[in-house]
Amino acid sequence: MTSDNEEPEFDFNFLFEYSQEEDPARSKDAFSYSQNASMSLPLGVGNPCLSSQFHGLAPSPVISVSSCHQAAYGLLEDTGVSSYYLSPGLRPNGGPTLESPRIEITAYGQLAEDDVKESRLPVSRQLSSAVMLTLPSTEGYRDPSGLSPASSLSSRSCHSEASSYESGFSYNYDNSPATSPWQSPCVSPKGPSSLASCALGGGSPRQSPAASPRPTSPCGGKRKYSFSGSGGGAPCRRASRSATPSPQGSPCLGAGDDTWPPDTNRYTNSAIVAAINALSTDGAGDISEGIPLKARRTNQESGPGMSLKVESGGEELILGETQEDYPSPRLPFKKENYSGGFLDVPQYSYSWSKPKPFISPSLPALDWQLPSCSGPYNLQIEMQPKSHHRAHYETEGSRGAVKAPSGGHPVVQLYGYMENEPLTLQLFIGTADDRLLRPHAFYQVHRITGKTVSTSSHEVMQSNTKVLEIPLLPENNMRAIIDCAGILKLRNSDIELRKGETDIGRKNTRVRMVFRVHIEQASGRTVSLQAASNPIECSQRSAQELPLVEKQNVDSCVATGGKKMLLSGHNFLPDSKVLFLEKAQDGHHIWETEAKVEKESLKAVSLTHTTLVVEIPPYHNQRISSPSQVNFYVCNGKRKRSQYQRFTYLPPNAPMIKTEPNDDYEPQGVPALGLPPRPYYGPQGLSPMIHADPSPCLAGGYPACQQRHGGAIPPSSPGSSPTLHDLTPAAYPRCLPAGRSPDHAVPALLPVAQAGSPRGYTPPLLFSAGSPVSSAPSPGSHPSTPGLAPEGPFAPPATTLARKTSPALLTDSATPPALPLPVTIKQEPQELDQMYLDDVNEIIRNDLSSISVHSHA
DNA sequence: TATCTGGAACGAGTC
DNA sequence: ACGACTCGTTCCAGA
């Protein structure tokens, strides 16, 4: 391969370096944080959360957090949640970092920072006032590295024109000027140009052999019957058929849709968010990671198109690319020019002589973890999407909108909002693994239009993630039917070649629909809520073959076993096996046994939905004195396993722990089985989430939240899950003190370099403490989480339910640092096909060893 | 005709 | 080394 393979190492090296040494230049200019001050925050040296999640760059929003369940968080609210928010400004080692001032977003030449900061208008309106903001080019849809010139001589280049995805992606060749598409006539910021140039020549740098270590596209001659057998053959031929339902033409993702409510800001919101992202997310890795100046971009993720003019007040890090690639950066904003204009991003300087006015990101980046409810507000997915939705490739036509099990479409509603201002519901495709929820690298939301689509929407790019913006109108009771969202699959080869991308596409086919809404309150604060759907299996093959456990009616049993457990899910076969296992912290299997399956119990509830009854096997240790967490999975054969489901063995004679269902979702067609536990969703079976110790929060948290909604919250019902807590596994940071669940296995896995992600992994907000998880990731399990601190300033993990009442993200520049929230350790995915992951882990371990050596060298 | 869908072929990679 | 298997991606064809 190419240097891509070394990417993680590169990034991590920087990360480690910074965590080990002080940068005088930085510290001296640090806003006001001193080493000590930083250390006092719950993100100390060695804290994996900090290093991995807050390695980002300084500009971090000052965010206060409120809880919709005061009681549950009362004790925690004074410890520093805000610290988390501020933490991005912290150095990985918790030391001083770049200034972490309040950042004001100011439209270039338009909005004064005060306008934004002090506006009392609802977000939508407020943002609308920034209409004049020039918007980001959507040209950069695909991450630069993703579109590596190397990627494939195939269809890719030709696709660009036809595919909304391609055309929208950005090319961020951060540090590879030589291969930068920006220098290529093919990579014009403008879609059309790009098209033209591409068409012109196969000689485009994008196809440069030098930069193209691997032609991967099957089009590159794989198919004997493919068009001319040349790389672009098939794709080009099928270009017209390519996924470009958007009438606007993909090159301009943001191109609006005429049905968009006139009073709903169409672009500004996204533009600002994008800009914010550039600040808080994309840039995150820049400074702290010490990326060479030349390689730095102010908006790595969003690509050239997304930049926000801010008052950096300091010397700017001028990124040639930005300058050069956008000769006419400040075009007036209008939808037709959506791809033409852009917002300048604050140019960070490593040394500020003084605190300077800053543009503050007021909205969270896509990979920040947000709660689904806060105060009176509650964002709910009333109708969950089907568990399977075959995503379409760029080379295919759309495969339609994601549907609900009933045949309808997912429905999302915001409760507790009584204003008359329309809001914007954002939708993007997120991951469904056990890690923090974040935009999925291999899938993008795809806008569906047509007669059958009743919901208007428009696309915008936020970082490298396509976001669908859907109006939430008061007249519709703040309810939206999501019939306008499909899912686009990006070629693994494209994404994996992205600089810094370490996620693996293979078998990483589960996603979640992630909905967000930002509510501007009278106080000037913005409440950001997020709800993620149940996991959706997107591959044709997996959907047809992999067993999927959606429900289990029992989640615990005394160690003696013998109890019957009803499983509900998909692809259960007569010869399906159910295996229980326990893993050690290092991932090794401690115990595994096959449960007795009552074959005669196999019943097809619907075409694909089946139920199965198994007899819970006795635990290997009948004398346990405390609950023991194990997992089980359904196996249809070699490599055809469901994700892990968690199960708890209780000490004999111990009272049963009734686990609150954290997902009220009842799949259509499945009778109320009273299946409480929620499966561990995640690609290929992720690690189980360990239920936290039963605590007061468990019982009180969620209800409290709902109560606050008063009558606004409808009773939960099947199919209408008030728990958008599907963020579940992924939503919680893995920052718990190690040893929480010593008996729980925590295999390291997925070599996902959040730190080095080209998409800019933003420090996740440590909201609730929903602590379904409790084990600490094994050191080295993740490149970005080296040296997990065994102990931390974190509050004890709350409970699963507590998560439901997690405070929302409030953005308020005026609000002082806030409150601490219980933080939990998020477990690493446990199984992405364990064999496969085991291999990956080995590789990671090796890499880490190597990195470690380098960083200490 | 264009789009949506289900199915399956092809080929690279893995076992 | 080789064949079987797995899986991503593309193409076909019917609705």
Side-chain angles (χ1 to χ4, degrees):
Chain A
M1 287 276 282
T2 65
S3 59
D4 285 334
N5 288 330
E6 302 168 9
E7 187 65 21
E9 182 172 337
F10 176 83
D11 289 342
F12 301 144
N13 261 327
F14 280 114
L15 181 60
F16 293 167
E17 285 175 8
Y18 278 111
S19 64
Q20 294 170 2
E21 53 185 73
E22 189 58 39
D23 180 340
R26 292 188 187 183
S27 52
K28 109 186 146 188
D29 298 318
F31 195 48
S32 61
Y33 297 122
S34 67
Q35 179 81 30
N36 291 336
S38 297
M39 293 298 286
S40 69
L41 294 173
L43 298 168
V45 176
N47 186 312
C49 288
L50 182 58
S51 350
S52 65
Q53 301 172 342
F54 301 101
H55 57 80
L57 106 93
S60 66
V62 176
I63 305 168
S64 64
V65 176
S66 70
S67 169
C68 50
H69 181 214
Q70 305 300 337
Y73 291 89
L75 297 176
L76 304 169
E77 292 185 344
D78 57 343
T79 49
V81 159
S82 64
S83 298
Y84 292 129
Y85 304 145
L86 290 171
S87 60
L90 297 175
R91 296 272 301 288
N93 64 353
T97 83
L98 286 183
E99 186 172 343
S100 204
R102 179 192 69 207
I103 300 172
E104 300 293 340
I105 294 178
T106 303
Y108 178 69
Q110 293 296 324
L111 290 177
E113 64 178 85
D114 286 346
D115 291 335
V116 174
K117 178 178 67 180
E118 299 177 356
S119 172
R120 292 293 181 275
L121 293 173
V123 172
S124 59
R125 176 172 295 177
Q126 184 181 100
L127 294 177
S128 294
S129 64
V131 192
M132 294 308 289
L133 286 171
T134 52
L135 294 173
S137 160
T138 51
E139 169 61 16
Y141 185 37
R142 169 167 301 170
D143 179 273
S145 25
L147 254 198
S148 162
S151 278
S152 77
L153 299 175
S154 66
S155 47
R156 196 168 296 118
S157 45
C158 287
H159 270 169
S160 300
E161 295 90 53
S163 154
S164 61
Y165 167 73
E166 293 275 358
S167 58
F169 243 149
S170 62
Y171 298 76
N172 289 333
Y173 284 79
D174 332 52
N175 38 19
S176 295
T179 59
S180 172
W182 298 114
Q183 302 178 350
S184 162
C186 240
V187 192
S188 163
K190 311 274 187 179
S193 306
S194 175
L195 172 58
S197 50
C198 277
L200 287 177
S204 164
R206 289 176 61 185
Q207 301 180 350
S208 165
S212 292
R214 54 186 261 203
T216 55
S217 169
C219 290
K222 271 187 183 178
R223 303 185 74 83
K224 297 163 186 168
Y225 50 82
S226 69
F227 183 74
S228 299
S230 67
C236 288
R237 175 170 60 79
R238 299 170 59 88
S240 63
R241 184 182 165 188
S242 237
T244 315
S246 303
Q248 289 73 30
S250 35
C252 300
L253 294 177
D257 133 299
D258 295 336
T259 59
W260 188 258
D263 57 344
T264 303
N265 71 296
R266 300 175 61 165
Y267 306 106
T268 53
N269 193 339
S270 303
I272 291 178
V273 170
I276 289 169
N277 235 23
L279 288 171
S280 60
T281 302
D282 304 339
D286 286 357
I287 295 179
S288 65
E289 293 180 1
I291 294 175
L293 188 68
K294 175 59 181 173
R296 258 179 231 125
R297 297 180 63 94
T298 49
N299 55 341
Q300 279 185 319
E301 311 315 298
S302 49
M306 299 217 173
S307 46
L308 173 66
K309 178 63 178 182
V310 299
E311 301 172 337
S312 64
E315 55 277 45
E316 296 185 340
L317 283 184
I318 300 299
L319 304 184
E321 291 145 324
T322 300
Q323 302 289 316
E324 298 171 6
D325 299 334
Y326 298 90
S328 305
R330 287 155 194 148
L331 299 177
F333 167 72
K334 57 179 180 179
K335 72 180 180 184
E336 290 77 12
N337 284 332
Y338 188 63
S339 64
F342 73 93
L343 301 172
D344 286 338
V345 169
Q347 308 294 314
Y348 287 104
S349 160
Y350 277 65
S351 58
W352 285 339
S353 56
K354 62 181 179 184
K356 302 178 176 66
F358 225 84
I359 290 209
S360 118
S362 53
L363 299 178
L366 297 182
D367 48 4
W368 284 21
Q369 313 302 305
L370 307 176
S372 61
C373 69
S374 173
Y377 310 117
N378 188 357
L379 182 61
Q380 294 188 17
I381 297 178
E382 294 294 299
M383 181 68 78
Q384 289 282 347
K386 290 177 63 176
S387 56
H388 291 149
H389 174 82
R390 181 171 162 183
H392 65 269
Y393 283 83
E394 297 167 86
T395 52
E396 295 182 303
S398 167
R399 287 190 177 274
V402 174
K403 298 177 180 59
S406 61
H409 296 278
V411 176
V412 175
Q413 185 163 5
L414 172 65
Y415 292 99
Y417 180 77
M418 305 305 178
E419 305 300 319
N420 289 321
E421 287 294 329
L423 295 179
T424 295
L425 179 68
Q426 295 184 311
L427 164 60
F428 64 92
I429 300 302
T431 55
D433 57 34
D434 201 18
R435 291 169 295 153
L436 295 174
L437 177 64
R438 60 196 182 288
H440 204 298
F442 301 91
Y443 292 89
Q444 293 284 345
V445 65
H446 176 77
R447 179 168 175 257
I448 303 293
T449 58
K451 304 173 201 168
T452 60
V453 178
S454 63
T455 306
S456 62
S457 66
H458 72 97
E459 301 171 336
V460 296
M461 288 303 298
Q462 193 169 333
S463 295
N464 280 325
T465 302
K466 190 190 289 184
V467 175
L468 213 52
E469 294 197 336
I470 300 164
L472 265 185
L473 309 173
E475 51 264 44
N476 291 339
N477 203 24
M478 302 308 282
R479 181 185 183 91
I481 297 174
I482 315 301
D483 60 357
C484 55
I487 301 176
L488 171 68
K489 173 67 168 65
L490 308 181
R491 278 195 295 271
N492 292 341
S493 58
D494 288 348
I495 304 308
E496 289 168 353
L497 283 177
R498 289 205 285 209
K499 280 286 182 185
E501 181 59 65
T502 53
D503 254 343
I504 297 173
R506 189 177 174 82
K507 301 185 76 173
N508 185 2
T509 56
R510 282 186 180 136
V511 309
R512 283 184 287 182
M513 296 178 83
V514 185
F515 300 93
R516 281 188 173 186
V517 65
H518 306 288
I519 309 164
E520 176 77 4
Q521 299 184 301
S523 65
R525 293 180 177 180
T526 295
V527 175
S528 296
L529 301 178
Q530 170 175 296
S533 74
N534 288 337
I536 303 170
E537 174 56 60
C538 291
S539 80
Q540 174 195 13
R541 187 179 302 277
S542 296
Q544 297 173 334
E545 302 174 348
L546 294 180
L548 173 68
V549 179
E550 290 188 334
K551 295 285 184 181
Q552 65 192 75
N553 71 334
V554 175
D555 71 334
S556 62
C557 171
V558 292
T560 50
K563 189 174 180 178
K564 296 288 196 302
M565 175 167 67
L566 175 62
L567 301 180
S568 173
H570 295 268
N571 300 324
F572 294 166
L573 305 174
D575 59 349
S576 290
K577 291 181 169 60
V578 176
L579 294 103
F580 281 69
L581 76 160
E582 180 176 11
K583 289 186 173 184
Q585 208 149 15
D586 62 2
H588 291 111
H589 285 216
I590 292 177
W591 168 70
E592 180 165 335
T593 190
E594 185 177 339
K596 180 182 178 182
V597 175
E598 297 186 356
K599 298 184 184 304
E600 63 280 6
S601 69
L602 181 64
K603 184 160 47 183
V605 176
S606 67
L607 199 58
T608 59
H609 216 110
T610 51
T611 59
L612 194 62
V613 173
V614 301
E615 182 178 311
I616 298 166
Y619 188 51
H620 65 84
N621 180 0
Q622 303 285 307
R623 320 184 95 182
I624 52 176
S625 57
S626 61
S628 183
Q629 299 287 345
V630 301
N631 304 128
F632 73 86
Y633 61 90
V634 176
C635 177
N636 283 351
K638 184 183 179 185
R639 290 181 161 253
K640 291 183 182 177
R641 303 183 198 170
S642 71
Q643 64 222 42
Y644 280 1
Q645 308 297 122
R646 59 169 171 251
F647 190 83
T648 304
Y649 276 108
L650 306 172
N653 304 320
M656 287 291 287
I657 293 177
K658 173 63 178 177
T659 303
E660 287 288 340
N662 50 8
D663 186 345
D664 298 330
Y665 169 58
E666 287 292 342
Q668 303 270 333
V670 178
L673 298 172
L675 307 170
R678 183 174 179 290
Y680 298 133
Y681 288 120
Q684 283 66 50
L686 298 177
S687 65
M689 299 295 284
I690 297 188
H691 282 244
D693 301 342
S695 77
C697 292
L698 184 59
Y702 190 44
C705 185
Q706 286 212 337
Q707 287 166 10
R708 293 192 49 147
H709 294 294
I713 301 299
S716 72
S717 60
S720 91
S721 157
T723 62
L724 303 178
H725 313 288
D726 286 327
L727 300 175
T728 318
Y732 303 92
R734 58 189 135 210
C735 300
L736 259 199
R740 271 296 292 175
S741 296
D743 58 339
H744 193 66
V746 186
L749 305 176
L750 278 197
V752 177
Q754 300 174 334
S757 170
R759 282 170 288 134
Y761 188 87
T762 301
L765 296 184
L766 308 184
F767 279 109
S768 62
S771 63
V773 184
S774 44
S775 54
S778 58
S781 67
H782 191 296
S784 61
T785 59
L788 175 65
E791 291 299 335
F794 302 109
T799 66
T800 299
L801 285 184
R803 176 162 34 93
K804 299 186 177 183
T805 63
S806 50
L809 166 60
L810 291 182
T811 51
D812 176 10
S813 55
T815 302
L819 342 161
L821 284 179
V823 177
T824 51
I825 293 177
K826 188 186 76 59
Q827 268 188 286
E828 292 290 352
Q830 244 183 10
E831 182 175 31
L832 213 182
D833 188 295
Q834 199 54 52
M835 294 170 67
Y836 171 65
L837 292 177
D838 286 344
D839 292 340
V840 171
N841 286 333
E842 184 58 34
I843 293 172
I844 294 174
R845 275 189 282 272
N846 292 336
D847 285 349
L848 286 175
S849 300
S850 171
I851 291 170
S852 186
V853 170
H854 291 167
S855 64
H856 286 80

